[in-house]
Amino acid sequence: MKKIEVNTKERKYTIHLGCGALNEAAAVVDELCKSKSVFIITDSGVPERWVDALAEQLGKPPVFVFEQGEASKNIEIYGEILAWLAEQKATRKSLVVALGGGVTGDMAGFAAATYMRGIEYVNIPTTSLSQIDSSVGGKTAIDHGGIKNIVGAFHQPSAVIVDPEVLGTLSERERNNGLVEAVKAGLIGDGELFELFEHDDYMDHIEEIIERALLVKKRIVEEDEHESNLRKVLNFGHTFGHAYESYFGGRYLHGECVAMDMMTVTEDEEKKTRLSAVLRRLGLPETPEEEADSEKLANLIMNDKKSGRGSVDLVRVREIGTAVIETTGMEEIRKMLK
Ligand SMILES: NC(=O)c1ccc[n+]([C@@H]2O[C@H](COP(=O)([O-])OP(=O)(O)OC[C@H]3O[C@@H](n4cnc5c(N)ncnc54)[C@H](O)[C@@H]3O)[C@@H](O)[C@H]2O)c1
Ligand SMILES: [Zn+2]
Protein backbone atom coordinates (compact mmCIF):
# COMPACT_ATOMS: atom_id res chain seq x y z
CA MET A 1 0.00 0.00 0.00
CA LYS A 2 1.27 3.44 -0.92
CA LYS A 3 0.95 6.31 1.53
CA ILE A 4 0.75 9.91 0.43
CA GLU A 5 0.94 12.44 3.27
CA VAL A 6 -1.02 15.64 2.82
CA ASN A 7 -0.08 18.59 5.04
CA THR A 8 -2.68 21.31 5.31
CA LYS A 9 -2.96 23.93 8.04
CA GLU A 10 -6.17 22.32 9.29
CA ARG A 11 -4.61 18.87 9.63
CA LYS A 12 -2.16 16.33 8.28
CA TYR A 13 -3.64 13.18 6.83
CA THR A 14 -2.70 10.16 4.80
CA ILE A 15 -4.04 8.94 1.48
CA HIS A 16 -3.80 5.13 1.47
CA LEU A 17 -3.59 4.01 -2.14
CA GLY A 18 -3.47 0.57 -3.69
CA CYS A 19 -5.44 -2.33 -5.10
CA GLY A 20 -7.19 -3.99 -2.17
CA ALA A 21 -6.97 -0.86 0.04
CA LEU A 22 -10.68 -1.14 0.81
CA ASN A 23 -10.01 -4.41 2.64
CA GLU A 24 -7.64 -2.57 4.95
CA ALA A 25 -10.04 0.20 5.86
CA ALA A 26 -10.65 -1.18 9.35
CA ALA A 27 -7.05 -0.65 10.38
CA VAL A 28 -7.21 3.00 9.31
CA VAL A 29 -10.58 3.62 10.93
CA ASP A 30 -9.69 1.86 14.22
CA GLU A 31 -6.55 3.93 14.52
CA LEU A 32 -8.49 7.18 14.05
CA CYS A 33 -11.58 6.41 16.07
CA LYS A 34 -10.83 5.07 19.50
CA SER A 35 -14.47 5.53 20.55
CA LYS A 36 -15.51 2.99 17.88
CA SER A 37 -18.49 5.17 17.08
CA VAL A 38 -18.49 4.95 13.29
CA PHE A 39 -21.18 5.92 10.74
CA ILE A 40 -21.09 5.00 7.06
CA ILE A 41 -22.71 7.31 4.53
CA THR A 42 -23.16 6.06 0.96
CA ASP A 43 -25.57 6.32 -1.97
CA SER A 44 -27.84 3.82 -3.69
CA GLY A 45 -25.61 3.54 -6.78
CA VAL A 46 -22.55 2.23 -4.94
CA PRO A 47 -22.56 -1.54 -5.54
CA GLU A 48 -23.55 -3.52 -2.46
CA ARG A 49 -20.39 -5.59 -2.57
CA TRP A 50 -18.29 -2.51 -1.71
CA VAL A 51 -20.66 -1.39 1.03
CA ASP A 52 -20.70 -4.91 2.50
CA ALA A 53 -16.92 -5.27 2.27
CA LEU A 54 -16.55 -2.10 4.31
CA ALA A 55 -19.38 -2.68 6.79
CA GLU A 56 -18.27 -6.25 7.59
CA GLN A 57 -14.76 -5.13 8.53
CA LEU A 58 -16.01 -2.29 10.67
CA GLY A 59 -18.34 -4.55 12.68
CA LYS A 60 -21.51 -3.50 10.82
CA PRO A 61 -21.92 0.11 11.93
CA PRO A 62 -25.08 2.09 11.05
CA VAL A 63 -25.28 2.92 7.33
CA PHE A 64 -27.14 5.86 5.79
CA VAL A 65 -27.99 5.31 2.11
CA PHE A 66 -29.40 8.17 0.05
CA GLU A 67 -30.66 8.19 -3.54
CA GLN A 68 -27.77 8.35 -6.04
CA GLY A 69 -27.26 11.39 -8.27
CA GLU A 70 -26.44 15.09 -8.15
CA ALA A 71 -30.09 15.93 -7.38
CA SER A 72 -29.56 14.43 -3.92
CA LYS A 73 -26.83 16.89 -3.01
CA ASN A 74 -29.47 19.12 -1.45
CA ILE A 75 -30.36 20.67 1.86
CA GLU A 76 -33.17 18.17 2.60
CA ILE A 77 -30.94 15.11 2.45
CA TYR A 78 -28.21 16.99 4.27
CA GLY A 79 -30.76 17.69 7.01
CA GLU A 80 -31.82 14.04 7.08
CA ILE A 81 -28.21 12.97 7.58
CA LEU A 82 -27.75 15.38 10.50
CA ALA A 83 -30.99 14.18 12.09
CA TRP A 84 -29.93 10.56 11.59
CA LEU A 85 -26.53 11.20 13.20
CA ALA A 86 -28.25 12.80 16.20
CA GLU A 87 -30.78 9.97 16.44
CA GLN A 88 -27.94 7.44 16.36
CA LYS A 89 -26.31 9.39 19.19
CA ALA A 90 -23.22 10.32 17.24
CA THR A 91 -20.93 12.44 19.42
CA ARG A 92 -18.04 14.79 18.81
CA LYS A 93 -15.78 11.74 18.91
CA SER A 94 -17.70 9.84 16.26
CA LEU A 95 -16.31 9.28 12.80
CA VAL A 96 -18.16 9.53 9.50
CA VAL A 97 -16.97 7.27 6.68
CA ALA A 98 -18.00 8.42 3.21
CA LEU A 99 -18.15 5.59 0.66
CA GLY A 100 -19.02 6.68 -2.87
CA GLY A 101 -18.34 9.18 -5.62
CA GLY A 102 -18.01 12.94 -5.43
CA VAL A 103 -21.65 13.38 -4.51
CA THR A 104 -21.30 11.20 -1.42
CA GLY A 105 -17.96 12.71 -0.49
CA ASP A 106 -19.27 16.27 -0.75
CA MET A 107 -22.44 15.45 1.12
CA ALA A 108 -20.96 13.31 3.92
CA GLY A 109 -18.00 15.69 4.17
CA PHE A 110 -20.26 18.69 4.64
CA ALA A 111 -22.38 16.83 7.20
CA ALA A 112 -19.16 15.98 9.10
CA ALA A 113 -17.95 19.58 8.76
CA THR A 114 -21.03 20.91 10.50
CA TYR A 115 -22.39 18.21 12.82
CA MET A 116 -21.55 19.40 16.35
CA ARG A 117 -19.37 22.11 14.76
CA GLY A 118 -17.32 19.50 12.98
CA ILE A 119 -16.42 15.86 13.47
CA GLU A 120 -13.81 13.77 11.70
CA TYR A 121 -14.45 11.91 8.48
CA VAL A 122 -12.69 9.38 6.31
CA ASN A 123 -13.26 9.52 2.60
CA ILE A 124 -13.36 6.31 0.56
CA PRO A 125 -13.89 7.50 -3.02
CA THR A 126 -15.31 4.89 -5.40
CA THR A 127 -15.45 6.69 -8.75
CA SER A 128 -12.46 7.67 -10.86
CA LEU A 129 -13.44 11.33 -10.55
CA SER A 130 -13.50 11.19 -6.78
CA GLN A 131 -10.33 9.08 -6.50
CA ILE A 132 -8.39 11.45 -8.72
CA ASP A 133 -9.90 14.76 -7.80
CA SER A 134 -12.68 15.46 -5.35
CA SER A 135 -11.56 13.36 -2.37
CA VAL A 136 -8.49 15.53 -1.81
CA GLY A 137 -8.58 19.25 -1.17
CA GLY A 138 -11.04 19.54 1.69
CA LYS A 139 -13.86 21.18 -0.23
CA THR A 140 -17.29 19.96 0.85
CA ALA A 141 -20.60 21.35 -0.33
CA ILE A 142 -24.21 20.89 -1.33
CA ASP A 143 -26.26 22.59 -4.05
CA HIS A 144 -29.02 25.07 -3.21
CA GLY A 145 -31.44 27.33 -5.05
CA GLY A 146 -30.32 25.86 -8.37
CA ILE A 147 -26.67 26.78 -7.75
CA LYS A 148 -24.05 24.06 -7.54
CA ASN A 149 -21.89 23.85 -4.41
CA ILE A 150 -23.26 27.15 -3.08
CA VAL A 151 -23.34 26.03 0.58
CA GLY A 152 -20.27 24.34 1.93
CA ALA A 153 -17.15 24.37 4.05
CA PHE A 154 -13.48 23.59 3.89
CA HIS A 155 -13.09 20.47 6.02
CA GLN A 156 -10.12 18.19 5.51
CA PRO A 157 -10.65 14.44 5.82
CA SER A 158 -8.72 12.53 8.49
CA ALA A 159 -7.74 9.90 5.94
CA VAL A 160 -8.53 8.97 2.35
CA ILE A 161 -8.58 5.36 1.16
CA VAL A 162 -8.23 4.88 -2.59
CA ASP A 163 -8.71 1.40 -4.03
CA PRO A 164 -8.51 1.31 -7.86
CA GLU A 165 -10.19 -2.13 -7.82
CA VAL A 166 -13.56 -0.61 -6.96
CA LEU A 167 -13.50 1.20 -10.31
CA GLY A 168 -14.15 -2.20 -11.92
CA THR A 169 -17.91 -1.83 -11.40
CA LEU A 170 -18.14 1.56 -13.17
CA SER A 171 -19.24 1.81 -16.79
CA GLU A 172 -16.46 2.74 -19.20
CA ARG A 173 -18.09 6.10 -19.87
CA GLU A 174 -18.27 6.92 -16.16
CA ARG A 175 -14.70 5.73 -15.62
CA ASN A 176 -13.25 7.79 -18.47
CA ASN A 177 -15.28 10.79 -17.37
CA GLY A 178 -13.21 10.84 -14.20
CA LEU A 179 -9.93 10.03 -15.91
CA VAL A 180 -10.15 13.39 -17.70
CA GLU A 181 -9.20 14.99 -14.38
CA ALA A 182 -5.95 13.00 -14.53
CA VAL A 183 -5.33 14.15 -18.10
CA LYS A 184 -5.89 17.68 -16.78
CA ALA A 185 -3.51 17.10 -13.85
CA GLY A 186 -0.88 15.89 -16.32
CA LEU A 187 -1.26 18.95 -18.50
CA ILE A 188 -1.01 21.44 -15.63
CA GLY A 189 1.55 19.69 -13.47
CA ASP A 190 3.08 16.43 -14.69
CA GLY A 191 4.05 15.86 -18.32
CA GLU A 192 4.86 12.18 -17.70
CA LEU A 193 1.36 11.62 -16.36
CA PHE A 194 -0.03 13.03 -19.62
CA GLU A 195 2.26 10.71 -21.59
CA LEU A 196 0.78 7.64 -19.86
CA PHE A 197 -2.42 8.39 -21.77
CA GLU A 198 -0.57 8.41 -25.06
CA HIS A 199 -0.48 4.60 -25.06
CA ASP A 200 -3.30 2.13 -25.47
CA ASP A 201 -2.36 0.25 -22.30
CA TYR A 202 -3.03 3.24 -20.02
CA MET A 203 -5.43 1.21 -17.84
CA ASP A 204 -2.52 -1.09 -16.91
CA HIS A 205 -1.09 1.97 -15.18
CA ILE A 206 -4.24 3.04 -13.37
CA GLU A 207 -2.62 3.04 -9.93
CA GLU A 208 0.26 5.20 -11.16
CA ILE A 209 -2.20 7.50 -12.94
CA ILE A 210 -4.19 8.04 -9.75
CA GLU A 211 -1.04 8.49 -7.69
CA ARG A 212 0.50 11.06 -10.01
CA ALA A 213 -2.77 12.98 -10.32
CA LEU A 214 -3.14 13.04 -6.54
CA LEU A 215 0.43 14.27 -6.16
CA VAL A 216 -0.28 17.17 -8.51
CA LYS A 217 -3.38 18.10 -6.56
CA LYS A 218 -1.64 17.64 -3.18
CA ARG A 219 1.20 19.95 -4.18
CA ILE A 220 -1.18 22.67 -5.26
CA VAL A 221 -3.60 22.32 -2.34
CA GLU A 222 -0.78 22.35 0.23
CA GLU A 223 0.49 25.61 -1.17
CA ASP A 224 -2.92 27.20 -1.43
CA GLU A 225 -5.41 25.54 0.89
CA HIS A 226 -8.21 28.05 0.50
CA GLU A 227 -7.98 28.87 -3.20
CA SER A 228 -6.53 32.35 -3.15
CA ASN A 229 -4.53 32.10 -6.32
CA LEU A 230 -2.28 29.15 -7.18
CA ARG A 231 -5.13 26.70 -6.66
CA LYS A 232 -6.90 28.36 -9.56
CA VAL A 233 -4.73 26.35 -11.96
CA LEU A 234 -6.89 23.37 -10.99
CA ASN A 235 -9.65 25.16 -12.88
CA PHE A 236 -7.94 24.31 -16.15
CA GLY A 237 -10.62 22.81 -18.35
CA HIS A 238 -13.38 24.18 -16.16
CA THR A 239 -14.05 27.70 -17.49
CA PHE A 240 -15.67 26.70 -20.78
CA GLY A 241 -16.34 23.29 -19.21
CA HIS A 242 -18.83 24.65 -16.66
CA ALA A 243 -20.49 26.70 -19.39
CA TYR A 244 -20.87 23.62 -21.63
CA GLU A 245 -22.26 21.73 -18.64
CA SER A 246 -25.00 24.31 -17.99
CA TYR A 247 -25.66 24.92 -21.67
CA PHE A 248 -26.14 21.28 -22.62
CA GLY A 249 -27.90 20.46 -19.34
CA GLY A 250 -27.04 16.85 -18.58
CA ARG A 251 -26.28 15.67 -22.13
CA TYR A 252 -22.58 15.53 -21.34
CA LEU A 253 -20.93 14.36 -18.15
CA HIS A 254 -18.69 16.78 -16.24
CA GLY A 255 -15.44 15.25 -17.52
CA GLU A 256 -16.71 15.30 -21.09
CA CYS A 257 -17.24 19.06 -20.76
CA VAL A 258 -13.74 19.42 -19.31
CA ALA A 259 -12.41 17.55 -22.35
CA MET A 260 -14.16 19.93 -24.76
CA ASP A 261 -12.91 22.93 -22.78
CA MET A 262 -9.29 21.75 -22.94
CA MET A 263 -9.61 21.48 -26.71
CA THR A 264 -11.15 24.96 -26.87
CA VAL A 265 -8.34 26.67 -24.93
CA THR A 266 -5.44 24.77 -26.49
CA GLU A 267 -4.22 26.78 -29.45
CA ASP A 268 -0.84 25.30 -30.28
CA GLU A 269 -1.33 22.79 -33.14
CA GLU A 270 1.11 20.17 -31.90
CA LYS A 271 -0.40 20.10 -28.41
CA LYS A 272 -3.89 20.08 -29.83
CA THR A 273 -3.04 17.01 -31.92
CA ARG A 274 -1.62 15.18 -28.92
CA LEU A 275 -4.56 16.08 -26.71
CA SER A 276 -7.04 15.12 -29.38
CA ALA A 277 -5.46 11.66 -29.74
CA VAL A 278 -5.69 11.13 -25.97
CA LEU A 279 -9.33 12.20 -25.85
CA ARG A 280 -10.19 9.88 -28.73
CA ARG A 281 -8.46 7.01 -26.95
CA LEU A 282 -10.66 7.69 -23.92
CA GLY A 283 -13.78 7.95 -26.08
CA LEU A 284 -14.27 11.58 -25.05
CA PRO A 285 -15.77 14.39 -27.14
CA GLU A 286 -13.53 17.14 -28.49
CA THR A 287 -16.25 19.55 -29.54
CA PRO A 288 -19.99 19.64 -28.84
CA GLU A 289 -22.00 17.54 -31.30
CA GLU A 290 -24.37 20.36 -31.87
CA GLU A 291 -23.49 23.99 -32.65
CA ALA A 292 -23.84 26.09 -29.49
CA ASP A 293 -24.87 29.74 -29.28
CA SER A 294 -21.51 31.38 -28.50
CA GLU A 295 -23.12 34.50 -27.00
CA LYS A 296 -25.06 32.38 -24.50
CA LEU A 297 -21.89 30.46 -23.64
CA ALA A 298 -19.99 33.73 -23.13
CA ASN A 299 -22.71 34.93 -20.76
CA LEU A 300 -22.57 31.69 -18.81
CA ILE A 301 -18.81 32.14 -18.45
CA MET A 302 -19.22 35.72 -17.25
CA ASN A 303 -21.79 34.70 -14.66
CA ASP A 304 -19.71 31.80 -13.35
CA LYS A 305 -18.49 32.55 -9.85
CA LYS A 306 -14.89 32.10 -10.92
CA SER A 307 -14.82 35.04 -13.30
CA GLY A 308 -14.22 38.70 -12.56
CA ARG A 309 -16.21 41.52 -14.19
CA GLY A 310 -15.19 42.04 -17.78
CA SER A 311 -12.51 39.38 -17.80
CA VAL A 312 -11.83 35.80 -16.82
CA ASP A 313 -8.83 34.22 -15.10
CA LEU A 314 -8.19 31.64 -17.78
CA VAL A 315 -5.77 28.79 -17.13
CA ARG A 316 -3.58 28.04 -20.13
CA VAL A 317 -1.04 25.31 -20.76
CA ARG A 318 1.82 26.64 -22.86
CA GLU A 319 4.11 23.66 -22.16
CA ILE A 320 2.70 20.27 -21.20
CA GLY A 321 3.19 19.96 -17.44
CA THR A 322 2.97 23.65 -16.48
CA ALA A 323 0.05 26.04 -16.31
CA VAL A 324 -0.25 29.80 -16.25
CA ILE A 325 -3.19 31.98 -15.29
CA GLU A 326 -3.98 34.70 -17.80
CA THR A 327 -6.51 37.45 -17.29
CA THR A 328 -8.47 37.22 -20.52
CA GLY A 329 -10.97 39.77 -21.79
CA MET A 330 -14.44 38.71 -22.88
CA GLU A 331 -13.65 39.64 -26.50
CA GLU A 332 -10.90 37.04 -26.56
CA ILE A 333 -13.22 34.49 -24.89
CA ARG A 334 -15.84 35.09 -27.58
CA LYS A 335 -13.22 34.58 -30.29
CA MET A 336 -12.22 31.25 -28.78
CA LEU A 337 -15.82 30.11 -28.79
CA LYS A 338 -16.18 30.70 -32.51
N1 LIG B 1 -15.14 18.61 -3.47
C1 LIG B 1 -14.47 18.77 -4.58
O1 LIG B 1 -13.34 19.26 -4.60
C2 LIG B 1 -15.08 18.31 -5.87
C3 LIG B 1 -14.31 18.28 -7.04
C4 LIG B 1 -14.89 17.80 -8.21
C5 LIG B 1 -16.21 17.37 -8.20
N2 LIG B 1 -16.94 17.42 -7.05
C6 LIG B 1 -18.32 16.95 -7.02
O2 LIG B 1 -18.34 15.56 -7.31
C7 LIG B 1 -19.61 15.22 -7.83
C8 LIG B 1 -19.43 14.28 -9.00
O3 LIG B 1 -18.77 13.12 -8.55
P1 LIG B 1 -18.82 11.74 -9.35
O4 LIG B 1 -18.50 11.99 -10.77
O5 LIG B 1 -18.02 10.78 -8.57
O6 LIG B 1 -20.38 11.41 -9.36
P2 LIG B 1 -21.29 10.54 -8.38
O7 LIG B 1 -20.85 10.63 -6.99
O8 LIG B 1 -22.69 10.95 -8.68
O9 LIG B 1 -21.05 9.06 -8.92
C9 LIG B 1 -21.49 8.69 -10.22
C10 LIG B 1 -22.38 7.46 -10.15
O10 LIG B 1 -21.60 6.29 -9.92
C11 LIG B 1 -22.14 5.53 -8.86
N3 LIG B 1 -21.03 4.80 -8.27
C12 LIG B 1 -20.17 5.22 -7.31
N4 LIG B 1 -19.19 4.33 -7.15
C13 LIG B 1 -19.41 3.31 -8.01
C14 LIG B 1 -18.72 2.10 -8.31
N5 LIG B 1 -17.56 1.78 -7.73
N6 LIG B 1 -19.26 1.28 -9.25
C15 LIG B 1 -20.41 1.63 -9.91
N7 LIG B 1 -21.09 2.76 -9.67
C16 LIG B 1 -20.59 3.60 -8.73
C17 LIG B 1 -22.83 6.54 -7.99
O11 LIG B 1 -23.83 5.95 -7.20
C18 LIG B 1 -23.41 7.50 -9.02
O12 LIG B 1 -24.63 7.02 -9.51
C19 LIG B 1 -20.29 16.52 -8.20
O13 LIG B 1 -21.33 16.77 -7.28
C20 LIG B 1 -19.20 17.56 -8.06
O14 LIG B 1 -19.69 18.82 -7.66
C21 LIG B 1 -16.38 17.87 -5.89
ZN1 LIG C 1 -13.70 18.76 -12.67
Side-chain angles (χ1 to χ4, degrees):
M1 204 69 46
K2 289 226 167 73
K3 287 187 180 173
I4 302 174
E5 306 295 336
V6 184
N7 298 298
T8 63
K9 281 185 206 87
E10 190 187 325
R11 71 170 89 240
K12 288 185 176 39
Y13 62 91
T14 306
I15 306 170
H16 305 262
L17 165 69
C19 288
L22 181 63
N23 300 322
E24 290 173 38
V28 176
V29 168
D30 288 349
E31 175 69 29
L32 285 170
C33 187
K34 304 285 183 230
S35 71
K36 303 273 180 268
S37 166
V38 175
F39 298 89
I40 297 176
I41 299 177
T42 188
D43 72 54
S44 61
V46 178
E48 240 167 67
R49 56 192 275 200
W50 308 130
V51 184
D52 291 347
L54 178 67
E56 291 287 336
Q57 285 175 68
L58 299 180
K60 302 208 172 155
V63 182
F64 188 96
V65 185
F66 64 88
E67 181 62 31
Q68 65 183 310
E70 182 72 26
S72 287
K73 230 173 82 173
N74 64 39
I75 214 150
E76 284 76 30
I77 295 188
Y78 162 70
E80 281 173 25
I81 292 174
L82 296 182
W84 175 76
L85 286 170
E87 218 174 82
Q88 298 284 332
K89 310 218 173 346
T91 69
R92 242 176 231 127
K93 297 212 161 91
S94 298
L95 179 83
V96 163
V97 180
L99 179 75
V103 165
T104 297
D106 275 9
M107 178 74 128
F110 185 51
T114 47
Y115 183 74
M116 293 191 167
R117 300 192 185 85
I119 63 174
E120 290 189 47
Y121 78 112
V122 168
N123 205 346
I124 310 186
T126 61
T127 61
S128 49
L129 182 124
S130 54
Q131 292 196 346
I132 285 165
D133 188 14
S134 64
S135 60
V136 173
K139 284 191 188 181
T140 70
I142 55 171
D143 309 333
H144 191 57
I147 309 172
K148 249 180 89 88
N149 300 328
I150 188 76
V151 180
F154 279 100
H155 188 47
Q156 303 292 341
S158 297
V160 179
I161 299 170
V162 178
D163 185 346
E165 259 169 31
V166 304
L167 304 181
T169 49
L170 286 173
S171 69
E172 200 170 303
R173 182 181 182 203
E174 193 64 65
R175 187 194 74 198
N176 290 349
N177 165 59
L179 284 179
V180 174
E181 304 285 357
V183 175
K184 175 197 87 174
L187 287 169
I188 63 171
D190 180 354
E192 283 177 39
L193 168 57
F194 180 80
E195 284 165 21
L196 286 172
F197 289 103
E198 296 192 292
H199 303 278
D200 285 334
D201 65 352
Y202 65 92
M203 275 309 288
D204 295 347
H205 302 279
I206 185 65
E207 199 172 312
E208 185 184 349
I209 286 174
I210 296 171
E211 184 185 6
R212 282 180 172 269
L214 287 172
L215 287 173
V216 170
K217 184 146 185 192
K218 162 193 145 84
R219 208 175 62 222
I220 293 167
V221 168
E222 280 178 352
E223 278 178 56
D224 180 15
E225 197 170 333
H226 289 160
E227 197 166 73
S228 36
N229 194 38
L230 174 71
R231 193 165 169 163
K232 284 189 184 150
V233 302
L234 292 169
N235 292 336
F236 180 60
H238 289 68
T239 303
F240 295 93
H242 284 152
Y244 289 137
E245 238 177 315
S246 326
Y247 187 91
F248 291 107
R251 172 131 47 108
Y252 296 104
L253 297 174
H254 172 75
E256 294 168 346
C257 294
V258 173
M260 297 191 287
D261 172 311
M262 294 193 298
M263 282 302 281
T264 311
V265 299
T266 304
E267 284 169 328
D268 177 81
E269 279 311 317
E270 184 239 325
K271 282 179 205 76
K272 221 176 167 115
T273 310
R274 284 177 70 185
L275 176 59
S276 148
V278 164
L279 297 179
R280 257 181 279 132
R281 180 168 293 112
L282 295 176
L284 290 158
E286 297 167 58
T287 49
E289 256 171 42
E290 172 194 314
E291 182 113 21
D293 179 334
S294 57
E295 211 30 53
K296 274 196 192 144
L297 282 173
N299 284 333
L300 285 167
I301 290 172
M302 260 201 313
N303 294 333
D304 195 22
K305 66 179 188 300
K306 284 169 186 105
S307 41
R309 287 220 179 100
S311 62
V312 175
D313 283 335
L314 192 64
V315 188
R316 314 287 301 257
V317 170
R318 299 286 181 214
E319 289 308 323
I320 290 180
T322 50
V324 288
I325 301 168
E326 288 176 0
T327 305
T328 309
M330 284 314 292
E331 268 327 297
E332 176 81 4
I333 293 288
R334 283 194 181 85
K335 247 192 258 162
M336 295 170 83
L337 283 166
K338 292 220 163 97

